[in-house]
Each structure stands twice: as C-alpha cells, then as structure tokens.
Amino acid sequence: PELAANHTRADGSVDWRALSKLVPLQADPGGIEVLYEDEGMIFVSKESGMCMNPPHRFLSGTLLNRLIHYLGKPPYVLHRLDMWTSGVVAYAKNSKMVAPIAKTFHDREVLKEYLLLVDGKPSAALGESFTIDAPIGRDDASKLRRVVGGVDEKNSTTHFQLVSSSPDGKFSLLRASPKTGRTHQIRVHAAHAGLPIVGDNVYGREAALYITDEDLMNDKGVLRELAEEHGNLRIPLKLHAARLRLALPDQGKKWDASAPLPAHFLAALETLAVPPPPVQRE
C-alpha cells in the first residue's frame, strides 16, 4: 500500500509501470560467450533462439539476465537482434559510453555484417554484389510482419554480396551489410530479392506452416520440422550477425568484434555443400 501510494498519479490511478521498476532485474547463471571486454564495453555472442530482454523484470532466461550475472550489474543496451538471429551484440558497461555510442548507431557510422543462408542463387540481373534500396513498413494485416512499402514505411537499404553457392545452385551463402536499421530489414530485403533466408518462418519457405501472428510469436511453435529433402537443417533461422565494428575517434577508441558461425549453421553449409565463408578482416 505504501509503495502504491508513492506511485499514485494525480487522478488517483497507480503508475504500475513505474512501480514495476522497483523489482530488480534477475541474474541468470547460464553461460555466456564473451568476444571482447574492456572497462567501458562488452561484446558477446548471442545464441539463436535466445531473447535479448525478459518481458517482465521478475523473469530471466535472456541474454540480459546472463550478462547481469556475469557483470554483477545490468549493462546498458545499445542495440538488439531478433530472437532467432545469432551473433555479435554490444553493451556499454557504464552510462558515459551510452550517448556517444548511440550517436554512432544513429549516424550510421557502425559497420554491421551478417551471414545468411538463402534459398536460391542471385539472378544474373542482380549479380554477385547488389543493393536493395526499398522502404519497409508494417503489414496492415499483421502485427508482426514487415513489408516493402506498407504502413509508415521508412527508407531502408541493404547491400548483399554472394559468398558461395551449392553445386546445384539451390542454396547460397550471402554477406549482408544493412545501411539502415529497420525491424526485420535483412529478412524482408532478402525475400524481396527472391532469396528468402533458410529457416525464416515469417518471410521464407517456412511461412506457409504458420497461420496467425500468435503462432508466429510462439517461440516453441516455430520449432516444427519441415518435411523436406534435408530434414530439419532449416531450423533455426540461418541469419548470423558475424561482425560489428564501431569507433569513437574523438576518444581514440575503436572496437571490431566477430562471432563464429554457430554449429547448426555450419552443419547446414556442410550438408548442402555450400562452402563456408573465408576469414575476412579489414
């Protein structure tokens, strides 16, 4: 009652949102792969299927909860990955780093490289290196989906580079560098180019298995097998944030972190005879 009284609005209603923030975020002792760490920043590799943050402060099991256990305190969130996307995620360890790093993301000064396994091979018209410059907005018929065009569309640009293909040309490994940061951007642009990502239950060949938004958002339901020629190698989504490079020149600081491909991704490449990516550094 006393806490509620201290968080009561002028109209007499309780500000439950503010009140909930008194609940400390939970620490999760689950393992975490640290790619790089210094006094102000930490870069980790997120597993496919792991949520970034808990839906409620009293819940755990997310990347943020594991970092709280590792660091002994909550880090500062700088950006996000979709639940089924694996790879590099950066966090600030102190508040002084947040504003300058956030500005580099806002000003599009951050290099982000993704690897994605797709159905098909880029057409001759697209070529081995191509850019999709197509605005992305919400699908008026779905709370989850994004589409080229759509409601409240925003300019969106992604550059793609062919890395390798299977001998039969049915599958390809692409490298993607998004120049903007829209929700599901790489997934939408890849599908728009006729190269849907393997394992994408929203925009790929798997989408036909799911009927409603509730089904799509059920993190257990999306693990159904596809009855296809290669079994369940299409599970989970084959989209990996391989590299993240950012810098604060005025402070003389720069970071360049890379995360190796997860086992399920490597296994799919091997099964489909798609050559893995060469080590690439600038």
Side-chain angles (χ1 to χ4, degrees), residues 51-228:
C51 292
M52 292 286 295
N53 308 309
H56 303 289
R57 296 176 69 88
F58 54 83
L59 297 177
S60 62
T62 72
L63 186 60
L64 180 63
N65 298 115
R66 291 190 180 189
L67 271 164
I68 291 172
H69 179 266
Y70 176 82
L71 295 171
K73 62 179 182 179
Y76 295 86
V77 178
L78 300 171
H79 66 121
R80 304 175 191 276
L81 295 179
D82 292 343
M83 181 174 73
W84 292 105
T85 302
S86 58
V88 184
V89 184
Y91 292 86
K93 292 170 64 176
N94 60 65
S95 59
K96 294 185 296 184
M97 301 298 294
V98 176
I101 294 295
K103 186 176 186 302
T104 67
F105 277 95
H106 179 270
D107 295 343
R108 301 176 187 174
E109 296 172 348
V110 177
L111 172 69
K112 294 178 282 186
E113 290 185 353
Y114 291 74
L115 289 170
L116 52 153
L117 179 62
V118 301
D119 283 296
K121 185 176 182 179
S123 65
L126 285 175
E128 293 189 357
S129 179
F130 59 96
T131 297
I132 301 297
D133 189 359
I136 292 175
R138 292 183 291 105
D139 184 342
D140 196 35
S142 170
K143 296 178 182 179
L144 181 67
R145 285 177 56 86
R146 300 296 188 271
V147 293
V148 169
V151 181
D152 298 328
E153 65 180 30
K154 295 181 179 179
N155 293 334
S156 308
T157 304
T158 309
H159 179 72
F160 293 92
Q161 175 73 47
L162 175 65
V163 177
S164 59
S165 295
S166 60
D168 58 11
K170 291 184 178 180
F171 298 91
S172 295
L173 179 65
L174 303 182
R175 192 182 304 275
S177 298
K179 307 305 179 186
T180 49
R182 312 305 177 204
T183 299
H184 297 178
Q185 178 175 317
I186 295 174
R187 297 163 67 184
V188 172
H189 277 173
H192 183 66
L195 299 163
I197 301 176
V198 171
D200 194 335
N201 65 301
V202 183
Y203 308 103
R205 290 173 62 184
E206 289 76 4
L209 295 178
Y210 306 96
I211 308 304
T212 67
D213 280 355
E214 288 72 21
D215 200 12
L216 286 167
M217 289 186 284
N218 182 340
D219 62 347
K220 302 300 181 185
V222 298
L223 290 177
R224 302 173 187 170
E225 285 191 22
L226 267 188
E228 295 208 17

Side-chain angles (χ1 to χ4, degrees), residues 222-276:
V222 298
L223 290 177
R224 302 173 187 170
E225 285 191 22
L226 267 188
E228 295 208 17
E229 64 274 19
H230 297 297
N232 64 358
L233 68 77
R234 304 183 68 93
I235 299 169
L237 177 71
K238 299 301 184 286
L239 177 60
H240 179 70
R243 184 182 180 192
L244 183 66
R245 186 182 71 191
L246 51 88
L248 297 176
D250 57 336
Q251 297 184 24
K253 296 179 179 179
K254 60 182 179 180
W255 301 267
D256 194 343
S258 296
L261 283 171
H264 72 83
F265 204 130
L266 290 170
L269 294 178
E270 182 177 5
T271 300
L272 299 172
V274 178

